[in-house]
Amino acid sequence: AQSVTQLDSQVPVFEEAPVELRCNYSSSVSVYLFWYVQYPNQGLQLLLKYLSGSTLVKGINGFEAEFNKSQTSFHLRKPSVHISDTAEYFCAVSDIVGLGGGADGLTFGKGTHLIIQP
Amino acid sequence: NAGVTQTPKFRILKIGQSMTLQCTQDMNHNYMYWYRQDPGMGLKLIYYSVGAGITDKGEVPNGYNVSRSTTEDFPLRLELAAPSQTSVYFCASWTGPEGEGYTFGSGTRLTVV
């Protein structure tokens, strides 16, 4: 079984400042890692994912994340945020070893609410 | 390609009523999932299916049932609605690691009163 911990439930940041949203996971097997964004009253949109290879992953909207296996972390970063980045961000993992190589379903963190202040 | 389609988008149920949340995908994906999202929480897996005729329980299956008679459809059934089932429900399918991984529907917001 896996678990995901998003250390901050809420992160306030000034516009054009950098931001890091933290995610740590626990798993006894190899995992795929995902970051999703959810705007108010909307569904989930994939920001980026890590499957294998380079530990630095670039996603949409200027976001990137770095996989650190030794620290079991997958922190999300953006060098300069905009008002439009205000949303809920979810980190999630899926077990590679199970049903169909990642198809076991996702385990989510509780989310981090990113608040951009003008 | 419509992706993953959920209906209805909103629904209010009275305690004890039943309903079916519909989920359809047109991508010929074998793996499909139902999640619920409670306020201030991440999504939790209710049920999943690895193909037509095969379903299994996730983390929070109590109070729900599913069926998978075709590859395209994966309906979620609530038999006796309870206030604890007030939530937003998301259906998803697995695209494989070459694609997005998981594709989500836009959700059904259910209130039980």
Side-chain angles (χ1 to χ4, degrees):
Chain A
Q2 308 104 4
S3 66
V4 177
T5 302
Q6 291 185 243
L7 296 164
D8 305 296
S9 59
Q10 196 165 286
V11 173
V13 181
F14 287 107
E15 194 172 16
E16 297 184 7
V19 69
E20 179 180 81
L21 305 183
R22 296 180 292 169
C23 172
N24 287 88
Y25 70 93
S26 173
S27 177
S28 57
V29 298
S30 297
V31 295
Y32 291 149
L33 295 149
F34 303 80
W35 274 101
Y36 290 90
V37 60
Q38 185 178 37
Y39 299 103
N41 298 314
Q42 293 192 24
L44 294 169
Q45 181 181 9
L46 179 68
L47 279 176
L48 49 80
K49 66 182 188 292
Y50 173 79
L51 304 180
S52 64
S54 172
T55 57
L56 182 63
V57 181
K58 293 190 183 298
I60 62 171
N61 301 343
F63 284 94
E64 64 181 32
E66 186 153 21
F67 170 56
N68 188 318
K69 188 173 183 179
S70 62
Q71 297 186 3
T72 59
S73 67
F74 191 53
H75 301 332
L76 182 71
R77 302 186 183 100
K78 186 170 183 179
S80 176
V81 296
H82 304 282
I83 289 286
S84 59
D85 292 323
T86 296
E88 195 79 19
Y89 291 80
F90 292 98
C91 181
V93 303
S94 67
D95 173 1
I96 294 176
V97 179
L99 285 173
D104 263 3
L106 289 162
T107 300
F108 284 84
K110 292 185 177 181
T112 297
H113 188 199
L114 179 60
I115 302 168
I116 310 301
Q117 301 168 329
Chain B
N1 268 355
V4 178
T5 302
Q6 292 183 237
T7 55
K9 292 191 182 303
F10 304 93
R11 183 71 185 269
I12 298 175
L13 275 183
K14 293 184 179 179
I15 295 172
Q17 286 185 322
S18 62
M19 77 163 293
T20 299
L21 283 66
Q22 301 292 345
C23 176
T24 299
Q25 53 94 5
D26 61 356
M27 299 171 285
N28 202 34
H29 292 157
N30 285 321
Y31 298 99
M32 295 186 73
Y33 315 83
W34 275 105
Y35 293 89
R36 61 177 286 172
Q37 183 182 24
D38 299 323
M41 302 292 288
L43 281 69
K44 293 191 176 181
L45 185 63
I46 306 171
Y47 270 95
Y48 64 95
S49 170
V50 303
I54 307 170
T55 63
D56 207 348
K57 296 177 180 178
E59 182 182 357
V60 289
N62 291 344
Y64 307 95
N65 280 300
V66 294
S67 59
R68 186 94 181 271
S69 57
T70 66
T71 299
E72 294 77 19
D73 299 309
F74 189 40
L76 178 72
R77 179 83 178 163
L78 283 70
E79 291 293 350
L80 291 170
S84 61
Q85 293 177 305
T86 294
S87 190
V88 181
Y89 292 83
F90 289 98
C91 181
S93 67
W94 167 248
T95 70
E98 304 80 16
E100 285 202 350
Y102 293 87
T103 297
F104 285 85
S106 57
T108 295
R109 186 175 295 274
L110 176 67
T111 302
V112 181
V113 297

